[in-house]
Amino acid sequence: MIPTRKVADLPTPALVVDAEALDHNIETMRAALPGAKLRPHVKAHKCTSLARRQAEAGHHGFTCATIRECEGMVAAGLGQDLMLANEVLDASRLGALVAGGARVTLAVDSVETVDAAARGGVREVIIDVNVGLPRCGCPPDRAGELADLARERGLRVRGVMGYEGHVMIVEDGAERAAQCRQSMELLVAAAADVGGELISAGGTGTYDCNPWATEIQAGSYALMDAQYGRQGHPFRQAVFVLASVISSAPEWSVADAGLKAFGMDHGNPELPGSDVWFCSDEHTTFSPPRKVGDRVLLVPGHVDPTMAYHERLYLFSGEDVVDTWPIDLRWW
Amino acid sequence: MIPTRKVADLPTPALVVDAEALDHNIETMRAALPGAKLRPHVKAHKCTSLARRQAEAGHHGFTCATIRECEGMVAAGLGQDLMLANEVLDASRLGALVAGGARVTLAVDSVETVDAAARGGVREVIIDVNVGLPRCGCPPDRAGELADLARERGLRVRGVMGYEGHVMIVEDGAERAAQCRQSMELLVAAAADVGGELISAGGTGTYDCNPWATEIQAGSYALMDAQYGRQGHPFRQAVFVLASVISSAPEWSVADAGLKAFGMDHGNPELPGSDVWFCSDEHTTFSPPRKVGDRVLLVPGHVDPTMAYHERLYLFSGEDVVDTWPIDLRWW
């Protein structure tokens, strides 16, 4: 029998996931959006072992942000219905996945990306519609003609997608719901022009206020982060960076996790009950001080770019490490 | 003969380094701080191939921030004189390197870290002194007694180090020099109490205004970033993230590199001649718009956490890729 590994024995910094919180989050979302109502976005965790848990909960379609995420999901046997919710100019690697028996639906928003899909051997596309976030997506009133073009190129059009990303970060729930409705009115109108069976949209911030989408592309709900934690959703913080206090002064302490352990675009990680001052490459300074050798669980500000920094995560239950999962969908 | 690979054929996003700019930077620093006057910090690039270029320029001592950086440098044959400029609570992996013939000097700033060094089999330490940045380092007036304790534990004390990190980000050169002097007065006084041959300090921001240190721990100078680029140093921007325009609207374009390609703690990457609006996981939105399929070279805001996101860098000269270097010092 392999001796149980203890969280207390992990070298730091270490990316750790609370198994009970993860189970709670997956079950809570499954109850709200069962089966095909949810197309979990793997960019939020980049981990096929975690995606397998989501598949076991009944969600067999997945959303990806990169070609490599698609390749990794197929390699893990999770390629029944992948959507690359992003534009690409060279779809040949996706075409190879399709030729191998995987189902990959590619987002397109321009003549160029429709051509790339057809040239690369992808057979199914979804029309990406701009619903207010200044990013990808064609204007809503252009969606129909783009679908016609795709069909002319021999592609099957599965419907429309539109990411209301500008709405996700609205902290007030009622305001978030109102803005989501505005975005989805644009998407539903485009869907009428495009046809197809899918209206794919949404995320963790709008999973409970977007009845217009036929499927929600939420990803962060499984692990959560400090920003989504402020929105009042029923999901628990599941991912942390475990760090050791390596230095203490009368007014502060320094933990051994920093800029290379945390996505920083949403600000510093949080340490409940403490005040985080700043991060350096391998340090987080915080107060009040603790003893050298103490261990702390830091909450990432933004889960997606945090995951992309780490080789693996340690799944823990209480004091025990119960599994180790590679973060195997990183890079491009 | 292997056909030359073109930059234009690289899949994006790709971390690319201008070979001429890198050579210029290494030569410029070598001229200013030859040989042992510079102890290049590998945390800024995490790449042993690049460290080898620095060694070829005459710098044979290196600074590291993590145990894994030390291990990787030893594995690459660059372990003649490594300094881990950071505190650790378990030095056993460093002790194994020393037992194998590498020279590793470990920073200590407390009784606990002195004990960890002795217990782990490290034989040489440097007293880390706080010179104004609220991070690691003992109070200057405690350095002497910590050195005595280290010697009692059988450790050789090589001197003092103190990182004036709070000074690096001061954009005005004269103010930066004045604040550097204040920090170094503290360090020089501690050095008198400690003894030993090293006064190790500094970085790219103060390499030209810190005559008190016997060696400068600069790292960013080799590749540079947007923040250091504003300080007027004679180093050129050498590292970029090559990205493709995958979507364009009348008012903006979207390139396929985002939060998982850039350290974001110093803000958005820059695109000379353009206005960067924001980054998402795999996108950077900017204006004015360009054509779908155009390629852009984005300048990272902060080089160190940018490097930690990438598997490899492509060294380029003009339109040709001339080498591929793994970023092999990542993780812990």
Side-chain angles (χ1 to χ4, degrees):
Chain A
M1 186 181 156
I2 299 169
T4 306
R5 194 168 183 185
K6 296 293 181 184
V7 175
D9 297 331
L10 288 175
T12 56
L15 188 72
V16 298
V17 170
D18 181 330
E20 280 79 35
L22 174 64
D23 287 347
H24 165 85
N25 293 346
I26 290 176
E27 171 54 25
T28 300
M29 185 61 95
R30 187 207 60 74
L33 298 174
K37 290 290 291 175
L38 184 76
R39 184 184 287 276
H41 209 318
V42 302
K43 78 181 176 80
H45 52 68
K46 284 188 170 280
C47 175
T48 56
S49 301
L50 202 160
R52 191 163 293 113
R53 292 286 183 94
Q54 294 170 312
E56 287 165 3
H59 315 295
H60 300 291
F62 285 92
T63 313
C64 299
T66 67
I67 294 170
R68 186 133 165 190
E69 287 173 4
C70 293
E71 291 173 334
M73 289 294 283
V74 171
L78 295 165
Q80 295 96 313
D81 184 6
L82 301 178
M83 179 185 298
L84 179 49
N86 201 0
E87 281 62 27
V88 304
L89 300 173
D90 179 354
S92 56
R93 286 161 59 195
L94 298 173
L97 296 179
V98 172
R103 184 175 194 185
V104 180
T105 303
L106 178 58
V108 293
D109 72 351
S110 63
V111 175
E112 292 88 342
T113 50
V114 168
D115 285 344
R119 202 167 51 236
V122 168
R123 295 177 200 148
E124 297 179 287
V125 296
I126 191 160
I127 307 298
D128 187 3
V129 179
N130 188 296
V131 294
L133 177 71
R135 211 171 69 184
C136 299
C138 68
D141 61 5
R142 296 282 313 279
E145 63 191 79
L146 206 57
D148 293 341
L149 175 74
R151 292 187 180 103
E152 283 171 25
R153 295 278 193 279
L155 298 162
R156 198 171 94 76
V157 178
R158 294 190 69 189
V160 295
M161 66 157 273
Y163 181 55
E164 70 276 26
H166 57 301
V167 179
M168 296 298 145
I169 55 171
V170 176
E171 290 200 9
D172 179 72
E175 176 63 22
R176 203 160 61 238
Q179 292 190 25
C180 179
R181 181 188 194 104
Q182 291 176 358
S183 286
M184 290 305 107
E185 284 172 356
L186 297 172
L187 191 60
V188 168
D193 296 340
V194 165
E197 73 276 18
L198 297 182
I199 301 178
S200 192
T204 296
T206 58
Y207 86 100
D208 58 350
C209 64
N210 188 339
W212 303 278
T214 62
E215 58 178 34
I216 298 290
Q217 298 179 359
S220 302
Y221 78 96
L223 296 175
M224 293 294 283
D225 59 31
Q227 173 152 318
Y228 274 123
R230 289 189 285 272
Q231 293 192 349
H233 299 296
F235 308 112
R236 298 182 193 151
Q237 188 60 41
V239 67
F240 305 88
V241 174
L242 178 70
S244 300
V245 174
I246 55 169
S247 184
S248 279
E251 294 177 351
W252 70 83
S253 281
V254 183
D256 63 352
L259 300 175
K260 289 162 179 168
F262 297 104
M264 294 293 293
D265 61 300
H266 288 177
N268 290 330
E270 295 187 354
L271 181 58
S274 297
D275 180 22
V276 172
W277 293 13
F278 67 94
C279 291
S280 307
D281 278 17
E282 303 289 351
H283 306 104
T284 296
T285 294
F286 65 91
S287 65
R290 303 197 192 190
K291 284 204 306 287
V292 171
D294 277 4
R295 291 184 156 215
V296 293
L297 286 173
L298 291 148
V299 179
H302 191 181
V303 60
D304 310 44
T306 295
M307 302 304 289
Y309 267 134
H310 293 266
E311 278 186 289
R312 65 183 70 89
L313 67 80
Y314 299 96
L315 196 69
F316 73 95
S317 178
E319 297 180 358
D320 298 326
V321 177
V322 296
D323 214 341
T324 304
W325 291 349
I327 314 297
D328 52 350
L329 298 175
R330 292 169 301 158
W331 308 309
W332 300 279
Chain B
M1 186 178 157
I2 299 168
T4 306
R5 194 167 184 186
K6 296 292 180 186
V7 174
D9 296 332
L10 288 175
T12 56
L15 189 72
V16 298
V17 170
D18 180 330
E20 279 78 35
L22 174 64
D23 287 347
H24 165 85
N25 293 346
I26 290 177
E27 171 55 25
T28 300
M29 185 61 96
R30 187 207 60 73
L33 298 173
K37 288 292 291 176
L38 184 77
R39 183 184 287 277
H41 208 319
V42 303
K43 78 181 176 78
H45 53 67
K46 284 189 170 282
C47 175
T48 57
S49 301
L50 202 162
R52 190 163 293 115
R53 291 286 181 95
Q54 295 171 309
E56 287 164 3
H59 314 296
H60 300 292
F62 285 91
T63 313
C64 299
T66 67
I67 293 170
R68 186 133 165 190
E69 288 173 3
C70 292
E71 291 173 335
M73 289 292 284
V74 171
L78 295 165
Q80 295 95 315
D81 183 6
L82 301 178
M83 179 184 298
L84 178 48
N86 201 0
E87 281 64 27
V88 303
L89 300 172
D90 179 354
S92 56
R93 286 161 59 195
L94 298 173
L97 296 179
V98 171
R103 185 176 194 184
V104 179
T105 302
L106 176 59
V108 294
D109 72 350
S110 63
V111 174
E112 292 88 343
T113 50
V114 167
D115 285 345
R119 203 166 52 237
V122 168
R123 294 178 200 148
E124 297 180 286
V125 296
I126 191 160
I127 308 299
D128 188 2
V129 179
N130 187 294
V131 294
L133 177 71
R135 210 173 69 184
C136 301
C138 68
D141 60 5
R142 295 281 315 278
E145 63 192 78
L146 207 57
D148 294 342
L149 176 73
R151 293 186 180 105
E152 283 170 26
R153 295 280 193 276
L155 297 162
R156 197 171 95 76
V157 179
R158 293 189 70 188
V160 294
M161 66 157 274
Y163 181 56
E164 69 275 29
H166 56 302
V167 178
M168 297 298 146
I169 55 171
V170 177
E171 290 200 9
D172 179 73
E175 176 61 23
R176 202 160 62 239
Q179 291 190 26
C180 179
R181 180 187 193 104
Q182 290 175 358
S183 286
M184 290 303 107
E185 284 171 355
L186 297 171
L187 191 59
V188 167
D193 296 341
V194 165
E197 71 276 19
L198 296 183
I199 301 177
S200 192
T204 295
T206 59
Y207 86 99
D208 59 349
C209 64
N210 187 339
W212 304 278
T214 62
E215 59 179 33
I216 297 291
Q217 298 179 0
S220 301
Y221 77 96
L223 297 175
M224 292 294 284
D225 59 31
Q227 173 153 320
Y228 275 124
R230 288 189 286 271
Q231 293 192 349
H233 299 297
F235 308 112
R236 298 182 193 152
Q237 188 60 43
V239 68
F240 306 88
V241 174
L242 178 70
S244 300
V245 174
I246 55 170
S247 185
S248 280
E251 294 177 350
W252 69 82
S253 281
V254 183
D256 63 352
L259 301 174
K260 289 161 179 168
F262 297 105
M264 294 293 292
D265 62 301
H266 288 178
N268 290 331
E270 295 186 355
L271 181 58
S274 297
D275 181 22
V276 172
W277 293 13
F278 67 95
C279 291
S280 307
D281 278 18
E282 303 290 351
H283 306 105
T284 296
T285 294
F286 66 91
S287 66
R290 304 197 190 189
K291 285 205 306 286
V292 171
D294 276 4
R295 291 184 155 214
V296 294
L297 287 173
L298 291 148
V299 179
H302 191 181
V303 59
D304 311 44
T306 295
M307 302 304 290
Y309 266 134
H310 294 267
E311 278 188 288
R312 65 182 72 87
L313 66 81
Y314 299 96
L315 196 69
F316 73 95
S317 177
E319 296 179 1
D320 298 325
V321 176
V322 295
D323 214 340
T324 304
W325 290 349
I327 316 295
D328 52 351
L329 298 176
R330 291 169 303 159
W331 308 309
W332 298 279

